[in-house]
Amino acid sequence: MSRIAEPLSEAMALLEKLEPGAPAKVQANLDAFSPDAAELVLGYAFADIVSRDGIDLRIREMLTVAMLAAMGTAPGQLEFHVRAALNTGVTREEIVEIVLQVSVYAGVPACMNAITAAKKAFQAANES
């Protein structure tokens, strides 16, 4: 597979699908850290990996929610990806089931952290 010619543009387009308005916020945050961060981090994550064929975006977001919840150490990213999952057609009921599954394989503390993030994401979805 060859690298996408404009990885940042591709990444930002995908990020916009996940959450309208997110690209500007994410890029500003990363640019404040380093002018190369957005292209390096987002280009890899979203253009090279998340946009690959083989698994549709809805399923990728379900997997991302599960993995971030199991990690238990990325509440901001988890909250974002719960909202993104909702925006790709994942239902609240499916997110609840994913989070509950985390309790079995990653532990109750990780599940409790995921519940907190999911509740914030659900609240934000209700407000929009």
Side-chain angles (χ1 to χ4, degrees):
M1 180 181 132
S2 62
R3 187 123 163 66
I4 294 169
E6 295 290 331
L8 186 56
S9 296
E10 178 86 12
M12 292 304 188
L14 182 55
L15 196 54
E16 182 70 25
K17 284 182 189 177
L18 294 176
E19 184 169 78
K25 293 177 198 170
V26 172
Q27 180 143 19
N29 181 48
L30 292 173
D31 285 349
F33 173 69
S34 166
D36 297 329
E39 185 163 353
L40 292 171
V41 175
L42 298 179
Y44 170 71
F46 289 99
D48 291 345
I49 302 299
V50 177
S51 66
R52 289 175 57 88
D53 294 332
I55 301 174
D56 68 35
L57 194 53
R58 180 181 180 278
I59 293 172
R60 284 191 191 274
E61 283 304 311
M62 292 173 80
L63 291 167
T64 301
V65 167
M67 289 182 276
L68 288 170
M71 285 174 53
T73 58
Q77 289 81 8
L78 177 56
E79 186 180 337
F80 171 83
H81 282 285
V82 169
R83 292 191 312 268
L86 293 169
N87 290 335
T88 62
V90 178
T91 67
R92 289 176 187 228
E93 293 78 15
E94 288 171 320
I95 291 168
V96 167
E97 291 303 320
I98 290 166
V99 169
L100 293 175
Q101 184 85 4
V102 166
S103 71
V104 175
Y105 293 97
V108 172
C111 177
M112 296 299 290
N113 290 339
I115 288 170
T116 299
K119 286 172 53 181
K120 288 179 182 177
F122 293 163
Q123 181 65 35
N126 286 341
E127 293 171 0
S128 59

